Amino acid sequence: MKQLMKSARYCRPSFLNRFARDRQGIAMAEFALFLPVLALLAAGSFEVARYALMTQKLDRIAATLSDLIARSGSEAISETEITNIIDSAIYMAQPFDISGENLIILTSVQGRSGESPEILSQRVAGALDGVSSKIGDTVGGDATLPSVFPDAGSGETLKDGETLIVAEVYYNFRPFLLGDLGFFGDMKIRSQAFFRPRFTDTITFPSG
């Protein structure tokens, strides 16, 4: 009976009013409720920063690779030279490790009078599923250039004999934090760059 009466005191209106007005611990409760949201925002900001930095890295790699080839004073780049140029991409990507998750496609394209440009040579390094060159993949076949290159008619986007060095770089971006939680899957980032040869009319390189 004493225990029952003691319990009944907590049901009195005065006690219930005091309990309703008590704000102790409310900040901790609110923090606990918002903690998952804050953690998700922090992880998302981290991934967005990684994605933006990786995109900038790929832009720089594509521009550097095509520029290095375009600066060659030889019309036929040797196997050693083209291998060294491609290997430099791994170092330019640091602190990211892109080895095994990238595809590099270097293409030499030459214009033909009244026709689509021709692929003179192409070098592919790395492999990614479902990814191929947007320019074309057949040496001696037609090359497809972006719409930014004007069409002079009959598919002619380069003048007869005009050469273009194209670098395409792909990377399989894996979210570091949010990927394991299932919010985002792998994303393929692509960058490309175009340079004209500086010192020769044409430049070719081994296909490897």
Side-chain angles (χ1 to χ4, degrees):
M1 178 62 73
K2 290 182 179 181
Q3 185 67 27
L4 181 62
M5 293 179 64
K6 185 177 179 181
S7 301
R9 287 185 302 173
Y10 295 103
C11 297
R12 295 175 182 175
S14 59
F15 176 79
L16 295 177
N17 290 336
R18 289 198 305 273
F19 179 78
R21 292 194 300 269
D22 192 354
R23 293 294 184 266
Q24 294 181 358
I26 192 169
M28 184 62 69
E30 290 177 346
F31 178 76
L33 290 174
F34 282 100
L35 182 59
V37 178
L38 293 175
L40 184 60
L41 289 175
S45 300
F46 173 76
E47 295 294 2
V48 169
R50 283 186 67 238
Y51 182 88
L53 183 57
M54 193 68 244
T55 301
Q56 292 178 352
K57 288 280 188 182
L58 292 187
D59 288 342
R60 182 175 300 177
I61 290 172
T64 301
L65 294 182
S66 56
D67 188 34
L68 286 174
I69 297 175
R71 289 175 181 270
S72 174
S74 172
E75 292 190 353
I77 296 179
S78 67
E79 173 65 27
T80 300
E81 289 176 317
I82 196 67
T83 299
N84 290 337
I85 289 174
I86 292 175
D87 289 344
S88 67
I90 304 298
Y91 297 97
M92 284 187 287
Q94 292 179 354
F96 295 99
D97 182 12
I98 67 172
S99 57
E101 296 288 343
N102 72 91
L103 175 64
I104 297 174
I105 305 174
L106 303 174
T107 309
S108 176
V109 177
Q110 188 174 60
R112 295 180 293 185
S113 179
E115 298 182 65
S116 299
E118 177 189 6
I119 297 178
L120 294 180
S121 59
Q122 187 173 81
R123 180 62 174 260
V124 179
L128 284 179
D129 293 338
V131 175
S132 61
S133 173
K134 302 294 184 182
I135 304 300
D137 54 13
T138 303
V139 175
D142 293 343
T144 303
L145 297 178
S147 57
V148 67
F149 289 89
D151 189 345
S154 303
E156 182 182 340
T157 52
L158 289 178
K159 295 180 181 179
D160 186 35
E162 184 178 7
T163 305
L164 196 65
I165 304 300
V166 185
E168 300 171 89
V169 182
Y170 296 84
Y171 176 69
N172 190 34
F173 179 81
R174 299 180 184 273
F176 187 72
L177 298 175
L178 299 180
D180 293 337
L181 299 178
F183 287 97
F184 297 102
D186 295 353
M187 295 174 283
K188 291 182 175 61
I189 307 176
R190 176 178 178 265
S191 182
Q192 61 182 359
F194 306 84
F195 279 84
R196 288 188 172 89
R198 306 290 206 280
F199 308 111
T200 62
D201 293 332
T202 61
I203 294 179
T204 59
F205 35 80
S207 60

